[in-house]
Amino acid sequence: AQKVTQAQTEISVVEKEDVTLDCVYETRDTTYYLFWYKQPPSGELVFLIRRNSFDEQNEISGRYSWNFQKSTSSFNFTITASQVVDSAVYFCALSEEIAGNQFYFGTGTSLTVIP
Amino acid sequence: DAGVIQSPRHEVTEMGQEVTLRCKPISGHNSLFWYRQTMMRGLELLIYFNNNVPIDDSGMPEDRFSAKMPNASFSTLKIQPSEPRDSAVYFCASSLVGTGGRGIQYFGAGTRLSVL
């Protein structure tokens, strides 16, 4: 079973629109960590955020914000006033305390921001 | 500080040849991961090491693949013999796992492998 589901395969928005990328995870562990990574067209994977399961406070970093809801096992990512430079593939990942150090990555959401 | 360094960035080889991919993790990190990314299968974990010891190699496709970490600052992923279906981007990542919770994995730029 897929531990991390990113149901949106591709999203296109017009510049300056807001966009939310969905991430749903599955775990029986009480201690776990959630991550978002960005993969721009150049190919590298860039870390964006880490959240642990005991911290449900939403986080905002500039135009980026993350909504963590344990009740729905979701960790959604919103980009406000999108820009062309936001065009990339975004990956959500889960790491469980009981499963060692490995990450379970979702299949990614490809975001295209149209100028 | 230098990030994770992978070499080569691009590799083109012929079927049957041996391929060696290299990775230098971030200094001080104690975990190292090898991933493969393809359009069909996405990002797959091949193997990871803690303190230079292989912990989980269940993602290694078959015996043609092998990985080593002889010391804390160097790891290799070898494919022998290579096949066209091995064509992919191979990423190395490292993290520091300790008392501060699950370490963030930092990725190298990747090696794009093409097997003809």
Side-chain angles (χ1 to χ4, degrees), chain A residues 28-79:
Chain A
R28 295 182 179 181
D29 205 352
T30 56
T31 302
Y32 54 90
Y33 303 82
L34 296 163
F35 302 79
W36 276 95
Y37 284 81
K38 173 182 180 180
Q39 187 175 38
S42 52
E44 73 274 21
L45 279 144
V46 179
F47 164 76
L48 295 178
I49 189 171
R50 174 182 63 181
R51 251 312 177 241
N52 72 56
S53 52
F54 300 108
D55 183 3
E56 283 193 78
Q57 193 170 16
N58 291 334
E59 174 133 353
I60 298 175
S61 176
R63 296 184 297 105
Y64 294 174
S65 62
W66 290 269
N67 184 350
F68 177 25
Q69 291 195 340
K70 291 177 73 171
S71 60
T72 55
S73 297
S74 65
F75 186 43
N76 296 339
F77 173 29
T78 297
I79 302 175

Side-chain angles (χ1 to χ4, degrees), chain B residues 1-22:
Chain B
D1 286 340
V4 176
I5 299 173
Q6 290 187 247
S7 64
R9 290 295 312 278
H10 303 273
E11 177 79 34
V12 180
T13 190
E14 292 186 348
M15 182 174 62
Q17 296 297 307
E18 177 180 296
V19 175
T20 299
L21 310 182
R22 297 172 175 79

Side-chain angles (χ1 to χ4, degrees), chain A residues 5-115:
Chain A
T5 301
Q6 295 181 255
Q8 304 152 307
T9 303
E10 296 181 359
I11 300 176
S12 292
V13 298
V14 177
E15 199 170 21
K16 297 184 182 177
E17 288 184 347
D18 299 347
V19 59
T20 295
L21 310 182
D22 297 333
C23 173
V24 174
Y25 62 92
E26 181 181 335
T27 181
R28 295 182 179 181
D29 205 352
T30 56
T31 302
Y32 54 90
Y33 303 82
L34 296 163
F35 302 79
W36 276 95
Y37 284 81
K38 173 182 180 180
Q39 187 175 38
S42 52
E44 73 274 21
L45 279 144
V46 179
F47 164 76
L48 295 178
I49 189 171
R50 174 182 63 181
R51 251 312 177 241
N52 72 56
S53 52
F54 300 108
D55 183 3
E56 283 193 78
Q57 193 170 16
N58 291 334
E59 174 133 353
I60 298 175
S61 176
R63 296 184 297 105
Y64 294 174
S65 62
W66 290 269
N67 184 350
F68 177 25
Q69 291 195 340
K70 291 177 73 171
S71 60
T72 55
S73 297
S74 65
F75 186 43
N76 296 339
F77 173 29
T78 297
I79 302 175
T80 303
S82 59
Q83 300 177 1
V84 173
V85 293
D86 297 327
S87 296
V89 180
Y90 291 86
F91 292 93
C92 181
L94 164 73
S95 183
E96 300 169 310
E97 189 75 10
I98 60 172
N101 298 333
Q102 70 177 62
F103 283 19
Y104 300 98
F105 280 89
T107 51
T109 297
S110 178
L111 172 66
T112 300
V113 181
I114 303 165

Side-chain angles (χ1 to χ4, degrees), chain B residues 50-99:
Chain B
N50 279 355
N51 297 312
N52 313 338
V53 177
I55 301 300
D56 185 352
D57 65 354
S58 59
M60 297 285 261
E62 47 199 273
D63 292 346
R64 298 184 298 104
F65 285 69
S66 63
K68 294 182 179 180
M69 192 164 187
N71 56 62
S73 58
F74 184 66
S75 177
T76 59
L77 178 67
K78 186 177 294 187
I79 308 173
Q80 165 64 16
S82 58
E83 297 182 2
R85 59 188 167 133
D86 302 329
S87 298
V89 179
Y90 291 81
F91 287 101
C92 176
S94 72
S95 71
L96 176 61
V97 179
T99 57

